[in-house]
């Protein structure tokens, strides 16, 4: 999947967390009524069903590329999931066939943190997948190791 596990249970389904990001991390997302919400990541992972949210930001359109953002019809969710490049669509296809996956969403959360110099940094993982046991995975789906440029590489070292 090419991802860092930055995941935890949402919607109060499980108290198990697989992340050590702590209270210094924040989550920004669009709630079901369309309002932008920012809250501590540690609180959001226990209370927010990210798999039910719309994208917090659109997939970028890159001039000159042969692909563009689109929608994947998910048999798992019974609705469209926003998706970007072919590598992400391929990952969505695989996750959609996995019986342990019960929810999928494209770009449902922006993660915020401060770097060593105190500057606010952010990253929007491409994909969110909820498993039957309540755990979840935030993932980027790069087509190659250098995909996303320097900013993506810097975020990957933190996440």
């Amino acid at each position: 999947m090419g991802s860092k596990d930055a995941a935890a249970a949402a919607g109060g389904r499980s108290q198990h967390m697989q992340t050590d990001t702590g209270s210094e991390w924040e989550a920004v997302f669009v709630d079901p009524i369309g309002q932008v919400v920012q809250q501590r990541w540690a609180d959001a992972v226990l209370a927010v069903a990210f798999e039910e949210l719309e994208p917090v930001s659109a997939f970028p359109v890159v001039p000159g590329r042969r692909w563009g953002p689109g929608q994947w019809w998910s048999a798992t969710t019974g609705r469209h999931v926003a998706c970007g490049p072919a590598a992400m669509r391929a990952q969505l296809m695989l996750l959609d066939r996995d019986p342990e996956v019960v929810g999928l969403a494209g770009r449902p959360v922006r993660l915020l943190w401060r770097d060593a110099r105190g500057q606010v940094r952010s990253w929007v993982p491409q994909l969110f997948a909820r498993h039957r046991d309540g755990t979840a995975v935030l993932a980027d789906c790069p087509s190659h190791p250098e995909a996303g440029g320097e900013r993506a590489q810097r975020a990957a070292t933190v996440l």
Side-chain angles (χ1 to χ4, degrees), residues 142-149 152-153:
S143 58
H144 55 84
E146 294 81 32
Q153 297 300 315

Side-chain angles (χ1 to χ4, degrees), residues 45-71:
V45 298
L46 296 174
V48 178
F50 291 108
E51 66 273 27
E52 297 174 8
L53 301 181
E54 295 297 318
V56 71
S57 66
F59 282 93
V61 175
V62 182
R65 296 286 170 106
R66 295 188 322 178
W67 62 267
Q71 300 280 320

Side-chain angles (χ1 to χ4, degrees), residues 9-15 29 39 41-50 130:
R13 295 185 199 128
S14 171
Q15 297 301 314
F29 54 92
Q39 72 182 98
W41 174 245
D43 296 333
V45 298
L46 296 174
V48 178
F50 291 108
R130 169 84 55 210

Side-chain angles (χ1 to χ4, degrees), residues 59-60 67-71 81-90 92 106-107 126:
F59 282 93
W67 62 267
Q71 300 280 320
V81 176
C83 64
M88 182 183 174
R89 282 191 297 271
L92 274 170
R107 297 181 69 114
Q126 291 179 322

Side-chain angles (χ1 to χ4, degrees), residues 108-128:
V109 63
R110 176 181 304 278
L111 302 174
L112 301 174
W113 70 93
R114 291 192 180 272
D115 67 11
R117 296 184 304 193
Q119 294 179 312
V120 175
R121 300 293 183 191
S122 72
W123 190 252
V124 180
Q126 291 179 322
L127 185 59
F128 178 90

